[in-house]
């Protein structure tokens, strides 16, 4: 699983480390750097998928641009940036670090691109013994497996153990999925598809193309959870292929408007909150196990009274399917629903009052946190801006 993200001279960050846990919550005011963190993960995924640097930053007809494009990718006057992810496997004492350094001038290009393993000592402390699994200075195509691998240890089938490990590491990065549901795009008929779009526009197409048994299980789970959302009005949710050739799909649901009276409607009549809720659940239920799911402003369009339900679902399904979740939020109700046990997994994005650079601070590392929490809940503190004020005062 992804264990940590490291940012060096990336956009508004000079240097920052983001720990990644089964459920990580990133909070902070507007323009604090939260979206820059998310875009770092998006950029890494694009590179691992084989996109050229210029396309990964500036976008093209297929991909939207990273905000600011090439010009604002590096911190202020810097002309290069480095992004790293730390990966850890189960029952493995090593940390695997994948790093990419990109120069932005005179044109965008990769300066360094490597993966290394850093082993633990008997005392469980990191030492300096690192060995490279992979290193080169050119862009690579993962699908073609053009890998310059060191430390070959060939297995019977001719594939090296190092290459197998490297492919697993890159797969974790490739399985980062950034979800930003846009309800207005989810209401139309869509093409059937196996690849879930980041805006959830083709949710119906993905559900409709699932194998029959898997489809029935997922739709039953969606129906079970959605019943608690709009006061129990929705009784069932499903997707169907439509059209003469069955190449399109639509999302449907049954609503009980009054006792004993069931009405079927399609996505065109569903509320924004319902569609966003279903989009999040669908991602949790259809992404490959071991994925990193990133959801910006997860509570958009969701009534505050449903925050606790959403948190429970994230924890239940994420834990069951081994999907790690990074979410950003401003919602005080959601922060309160997370409960005090989430404190070690809350990270605050904020600006240094002198340099203006973005920084990431673990909530539990704030010196006067006990005093802050004694004065109110996490949601209340966020509403008052007390957390950011405390960080600024401690400088």
């Amino acid at each position: 699983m992804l264990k940590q993200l490291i940012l060096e001279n990336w956009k508004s960050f000079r240097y920052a480390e983001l720990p990644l846990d089964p459920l990580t919550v990133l909070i902070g005011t507007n323009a604090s750097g939260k979206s820059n963190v998310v875009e770092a993960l998006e950029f890494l995924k694009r590179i691992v998928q084989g996109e050229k640097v210029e396309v990964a930053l500036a976008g093209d007809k297929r991909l939207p641009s990273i905000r600011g494009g090439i010009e604002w990718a590096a911190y202020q006057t810097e002309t290069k940036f480095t992004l790293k992810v730390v990966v850890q496997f189960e029952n493995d004492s090593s940390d695997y670090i994948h790093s990419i350094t990109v120069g932005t001038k005179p044109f965008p290009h990769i300066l360094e691109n490597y993966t290394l393993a850093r082993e633990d000592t008997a005392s469980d402390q990191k030492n300096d013994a690192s060995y490279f699994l992979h290193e080169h200075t050119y862009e690579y195509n993962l699908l073609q497996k053009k890998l310059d691998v060191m430390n070959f240890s060939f297995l019977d089938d001719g594939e090296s153990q190092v290459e197998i490990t490297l492919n697993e590491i890159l797969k974790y990065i490739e399985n980062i999925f950034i979800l930003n549901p846009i309800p207005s795009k989810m209401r139309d008929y869509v093409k059937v598809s196996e690849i879930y779009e980041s805006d959830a526009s083709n949710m119906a197409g993905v559900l409709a193309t699932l194998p029959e048994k898997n489809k029935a299980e997922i739709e039953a789970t969606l129906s079970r959870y959605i019943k608690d959302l709009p006061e129990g009005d929705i009784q069932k949710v499903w997707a169907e292929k439509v059209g003469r050739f069955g190449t399109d799909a639509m999302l449907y649901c049954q609503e009980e408007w009054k006792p004993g009276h069931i009405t079927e409607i399609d996505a065109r009549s569903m509320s924004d909150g319902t569609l966003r809720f279903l989009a999040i659940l669908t991602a949790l239920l259809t992404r490959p196990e071991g994925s990193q799911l990133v959801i910006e402003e997860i509570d958009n369009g969701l009534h505050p009274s449903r925050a606790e339900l959403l948190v429970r679902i994230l924890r239940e399904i994420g834990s069951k399917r081994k999907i790690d979740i990074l979410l950003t939020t401003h919602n005080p109700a959601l922060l309160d629903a997370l409960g005090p046990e989430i404190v070690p997994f809350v990270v605050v994005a904020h600006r240094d009052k002198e340099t203006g650079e973005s920084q990431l601070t673990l909530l539990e590392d704030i010196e006067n946190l006990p005093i802050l929490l004694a004065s109110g809940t996490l949601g209340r503190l966020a509403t008052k801006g007390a957390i950011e004020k405390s960080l600024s005062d401690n400088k």
Side-chain angles (χ1 to χ4, degrees), residues 1 21-23 175 282-294 314-315 317-326:
M1 307 295 283
D21 293 289
L23 178 59
N175 279 339
T282 298
L284 282 168
L285 293 167
T286 60
R287 293 298 299 166
E289 289 194 2
S291 294
Q292 176 76 52
L293 178 60
V294 183
L314 292 173
R315 284 174 165 159
I317 302 179
S319 175
K320 182 178 180 179
R321 302 200 65 245
K322 297 181 180 179
I323 293 179
D324 288 350
I325 301 164
L326 168 65

Side-chain angles (χ1 to χ4, degrees), residues 5 27 31 40 63 96 100 111 123 133 145 161 214 234 273 289 325 328 333 378 391:
L5 170 68
I27 65 174
L63 296 172
Y96 296 90
I100 179 170
L111 296 171
S123 62
L133 299 178
K145 298 184 186 303
Q161 183 62 54
N214 195 16
I234 297 180
E289 289 194 2
I325 301 164
T328 70
L378 186 56
L391 287 166

